[in-house]
Amino acid sequence: MATLRLDGIRKRYPNGMTALHGIDLSVADGELIVVVGPSGCGKSTLLRTVAGLESISDGELMINEQRVNALEPAERDIAMVFQNYALYPHMSVFENMAYALKNRGTPKDEIRRRVTDTARLLDLAELLDRRPRQLSGGQRQRVAMGRAIVREPQVFLFDEPLSNLDAKLRVQMRLEIRRLQKRLGITSVYVTHDQVEAMTLADRLVVMNGGHVEQCGTPMMLYAQP
Ligand code: ADP
Ligand code: ADP
């Protein structure tokens, strides 16, 4: 169970660039919000401030109505999935998925249980001993997802996770992400510049421009407009 709320989030980079001009956004429990908008409009900055990888210049960031502005990334219970999967090349699939749990001091048998369950969910059960270079692009993307899911985060952030995949795989993974997100009910914010991806995935779409939210609504509402 998690709700996410951004209240007047501003981000000004040290060089003076204001990337976010007061973003207000509420994400309901289990909802998947897709953020679209032209390059440079602040999508990545938005995700990075929510993840805690960038500080917030002004505003409040709330998870379950608790202010999390000052929490370190590792304390936020947020998992992020990127386009460059950044798997550890020298580790097996199992070790890649187990790594964050190990760092947290999760007991060994619980790690084993969670990694095996997640692997089953993602159709990776047979691949746990492989290294990333022995996997296809789609399998690697699944491991990256698995690494996020296994932590049982309150919030998922997706930063164009499919843009490195070929068209066929992109469609397949898109459906898979949709299925998993609904099944796990993890509150999610998903950034993409692919219109079809946005339409098919979004419970609600957020259109950003120049560091502002320009429009927000269901895909039906937004695309029905002239
Ligand atoms: P998007 O993800 O929509 O392409 P970004 O969030 O990456 O947009 O960037 C928003 C604006 O902030 C852009 O003008 C970009 O040049 C600027 N920006 C991004 N990162 C930094 C940074 N580390 N320092 C200064 N300006 C940045
Ligand atoms: P780990 O592999 O344990 O995640 P890292 O050094 O990559 O180790 O990150 C430490 C913590 O910082 C992570 O547990 C995670 O919570 C947080 N973190 C790092 N990168 C991100 C990210 N891109 N998005 C969200 N949280 C992150």
Side-chain angles (χ1 to χ4, degrees):
M1 281 288 287
T3 58
L4 176 68
R5 190 155 61 85
L6 285 71
D7 248 347
I9 296 290
R10 287 172 53 85
K11 173 63 187 179
R12 191 181 147 95
Y13 282 109
N15 68 357
M17 172 71 204
T18 299
L20 302 175
H21 295 268
I23 303 289
D24 297 316
L25 180 66
S26 283
V27 191
D29 180 47
E31 189 178 28
L32 193 158
I33 294 261
V34 175
V35 181
V36 295
S39 176
C41 72
K43 302 182 297 295
S44 297
T45 303
L46 183 72
L47 289 190
R48 292 173 58 79
T49 53
V50 173
L53 302 172
E54 293 288 349
S55 64
I56 294 167
S57 309
D58 198 11
E60 306 284 349
L61 179 65
M62 318 285 282
I63 297 180
N64 291 329
E65 298 304 317
Q66 304 268 13
R67 188 172 184 271
V68 300
N69 287 35
L71 293 187
E72 291 298 317
E75 297 167 333
R76 291 188 186 202
D77 225 355
I78 288 176
M80 197 152 164
V81 182
F82 301 95
Q83 53 182 294
N84 52 342
Y85 337 103
L87 301 178
Y88 302 109
H90 57 289
M91 290 185 195
S92 68
V93 168
F94 182 94
E95 289 163 337
N96 264 285
M97 291 210 272
Y99 186 76
L101 298 179
K102 218 186 227 165
N103 277 357
R104 272 192 207 168
T106 310
K108 268 214 167 101
D109 40 343
E110 190 182 337
I111 294 181
R112 180 154 293 279
R113 182 182 58 75
R114 274 160 71 169
V115 171
T116 335
D117 285 355
T118 305
R120 206 170 299 132
L121 192 68
L122 288 166
D123 216 4
L124 290 170
E126 312 299 316
L127 305 174
L128 286 172
D129 293 327
R130 297 228 189 144
R131 311 272 146 174
R133 70 183 144 73
Q134 299 169 303
L135 301 175
S136 70
Q139 291 166 339
R140 277 183 217 161
Q141 185 58 47
R142 280 202 194 90
V143 178
M145 292 271 296
R147 219 166 41 168
I149 290 171
V150 82
R151 289 167 45 193
E152 300 176 353
Q154 303 229 45
V155 176
F156 262 147
L157 304 177
F158 296 94
D159 196 356
E160 308 210 15
L162 307 183
S163 52
N164 276 347
L165 304 179
D166 65 45
K168 189 167 156 231
L169 204 50
R170 217 157 47 220
V171 173
Q172 189 188 328
M173 287 302 295
R174 191 171 81 214
L175 297 174
E176 205 156 312
I177 286 177
R178 171 93 196 155
R179 175 180 68 83
L180 277 171
Q181 195 275 335
K182 284 300 152 225
R183 174 151 168 206
L184 301 172
I186 299 178
T187 308
S188 303
V189 182
Y190 189 109
V191 164
T192 182
H193 56 243
D194 182 327
Q195 293 256 342
V196 180
E197 214 170 291
M199 287 283 283
T200 38
L201 281 172
D203 294 319
R204 261 190 314 148
L205 266 172
V206 167
V207 182
M208 284 184 69
N209 205 347
H212 296 273
V213 171
E214 218 171 47
Q215 287 182 296
C216 180
T218 62
M220 284 283 278
M221 273 169 63
L222 295 193
Y223 286 90
Q225 288 179 0

